[in-house]
Amino acid sequence: MSSGIKRTIAFLVFLLAGILLGTIIGRVCEGVPMLSWLAYTLSVGLDTGNPMVLDLIVFKLAFGFTLSVNAAQIICIIISFIVYSKTCKGL
């Protein structure tokens, strides 16, 4: 396997780990008074509860997309970028 593919796979693994860890930390910190700011979430996109619908009589196509990001995810993604850059120099 070439080094470019290894670096891309490693980058995606670190990114996914940062997103998942940030989501877990954000959910756990929702009820904690001093850490509740980590659960602050911002959502952007087309509402999936009321999606944009394209009706072509033969079929209907619904478009909906929501991206939710909390403060803990942002912090964990930044940490994962730093860890990736330190650990994947040799790939």
Side-chain angles (χ1 to χ4, degrees), residues 9-86:
I9 291 172
F11 175 76
L12 292 175
V13 167
F14 276 96
L15 181 64
L16 184 61
I19 292 170
L20 291 175
L21 186 62
T23 301
I24 293 168
I25 291 171
R27 296 265 171 104
V28 168
C29 292
E30 278 180 329
V32 180
M34 293 297 290
L35 299 175
S36 62
W37 62 273
L38 289 171
Y40 177 73
T41 304
L42 179 65
S43 296
V44 179
L46 298 171
D47 186 20
T48 55
N50 186 18
M52 189 170 65
V53 177
L54 176 63
D55 188 359
L56 298 174
I57 299 172
V58 177
F59 65 92
K60 288 184 180 181
L61 187 61
F63 298 99
F65 175 79
T66 303
L67 177 66
S68 296
V69 179
N70 66 26
Q73 284 175 326
I74 294 170
I75 293 168
C76 286
I77 289 170
I78 291 169
I79 291 171
S80 71
F81 284 156
I82 293 168
V83 172
Y84 167 78
S85 67
K86 298 288 184 188

